[in-house]
Amino acid sequence: MSGLLESYEAERADFERLISAIRKVQAAQIENLRSHEWLVEVIREIGLVPIPESGRTYASEAEFLNSSQQGLIQIPQEYARLLLLLAGQRVRTYLEIGCFNGASACLAAAYLQRFEPDFRATTIDIFPAFVFYSEIRDLVPLEYVVGKTSYDFRGREFDALFIDGDHSFEWAHADYQNCGRAARVCALHDVNNEPYRGLPFGGVPAVWELIKRNEQGSGAEIVEIFAHPEGEDLLGIGVRIRAV
């Protein structure tokens, strides 16, 4: 029992770091919100999830690892650039597919609401890992839906989408076809992640290559956010922006 209590207390303490960061975003001056360096520091304050091979995945950013499964699974420089990009796109509705513990969705919701007061976000996952949602639901404009996939959201249009669920080719492609294709802005995580290229059909990196090949000629803007501290092919965010 003591082990379970210690584990819970570690999770709870790390979740408090997220709450503190959200309040910091909500109180920040606009010049800070538009600062890449400031956003990177906020992400570091939230902390990173200690995934397998975290030393290689995060490189020098691994010093900001949390002691629990709370935090973000992102390169801080990459996710900060994504938030800055979204802030310039007048995003009022947002869907994140694959939220895990909810940290990235909460930060995005708090941040983007500062630019669009009527902003609303939805985050979904098939696993109920966002265990502290009840403690944050009144703090950020975020709806959490568990046990649903992108198939349940077909036909709904969102200004922006972040696909970070199952990283297989089949699921990443389905998420894009179901919801991402209709969004004005669609971002996919792990598009430069070399281990996923070894999955059948090339995983999510192959989906990103397909999107680029199919949409570049349509006038869509393609942005690749690759900022691994040591330049390795790990993580990475691809963004397709369609003109209004």
Side-chain angles (χ1 to χ4, degrees):
M1 182 63 71
S2 61
L4 290 174
L5 180 58
E6 289 175 3
S7 177
Y8 173 81
E9 288 178 344
E11 296 275 340
R12 192 67 184 76
D14 284 335
F15 185 75
E16 286 291 340
R17 295 155 63 93
L18 173 63
I19 293 177
S20 177
I22 286 172
R23 295 193 186 281
K24 186 173 184 177
V25 167
Q26 292 173 332
Q29 298 294 317
I30 196 68
E31 56 264 30
N32 285 333
L33 295 174
R34 295 192 182 278
S35 166
H36 178 263
E37 292 76 16
W38 187 87
L39 279 173
V40 167
E41 288 305 313
V42 169
I43 294 167
R44 288 169 173 166
E45 289 171 15
I46 294 170
L48 307 175
V49 175
I51 59 176
E53 297 190 10
S54 56
R56 180 186 175 213
T57 300
Y58 300 127
S60 59
E61 297 293 334
E63 66 178 290
F64 302 103
L65 287 175
N66 284 340
S67 62
S68 75
Q69 290 297 297
Q70 298 299 313
L72 289 92
I73 306 177
Q74 301 284 337
I75 298 295
Q77 293 87 347
E78 291 182 349
Y79 198 66
R81 285 177 57 188
L82 174 64
L83 291 178
L84 286 168
L85 184 155
L86 292 173
Q89 293 296 320
R90 301 207 65 183
V91 174
R92 294 188 179 91
T93 56
Y94 179 80
L95 175 66
E96 181 185 84
I97 297 173
C99 72
F100 182 45
N101 60 33
S104 59
C106 288
L107 178 58
Y111 179 76
L112 294 174
Q113 188 185 33
R114 291 298 312 278
F115 296 90
E116 296 292 335
D118 60 346
F119 172 87
R120 298 297 303 175
T122 302
T123 188
I124 65 174
D125 207 306
I126 59 173
F127 299 110
F130 191 175
V131 295
F132 295 114
Y133 174 65
S134 62
E135 300 187 35
I136 208 164
R137 63 192 306 168
D138 295 328
L139 189 60
V140 292
L142 177 66
E143 178 187 8
Y144 171 48
V145 181
V146 67
K148 301 290 185 181
T149 72
S150 62
Y151 284 96
D152 297 291
F153 288 81
R154 284 186 297 180
R156 288 183 57 177
E157 291 189 11
F158 297 86
D159 291 332
L161 216 80
F162 186 43
I163 296 174
D164 193 17
D166 189 304
H167 290 75
S168 67
F169 180 93
E170 295 90 341
W171 267 111
H173 187 260
D175 291 340
Y176 184 75
Q177 294 298 317
N178 288 338
C179 299
R181 187 172 58 173
R184 182 162 44 83
V185 183
C186 182
L188 296 88
H189 194 223
D190 291 299
V191 300
N192 193 41
N193 203 330
E194 183 60 36
Y196 289 139
R197 293 190 174 99
L199 295 175
F201 309 109
V204 66
V207 174
W208 176 239
E209 292 301 320
L210 184 63
I211 291 170
K212 289 195 295 182
R213 185 164 62 248
N214 290 343
E215 300 219 22
Q216 273 182 321
S218 67
E221 180 182 358
I222 300 295
V223 179
E224 293 185 327
I225 305 174
F226 299 167
H228 188 273
E230 295 184 0
E232 290 205 56
D233 290 346
L234 293 168
L235 303 190
I237 300 171
V239 189
R240 189 271 295 138
I241 306 169
R242 192 171 292 132
V244 178

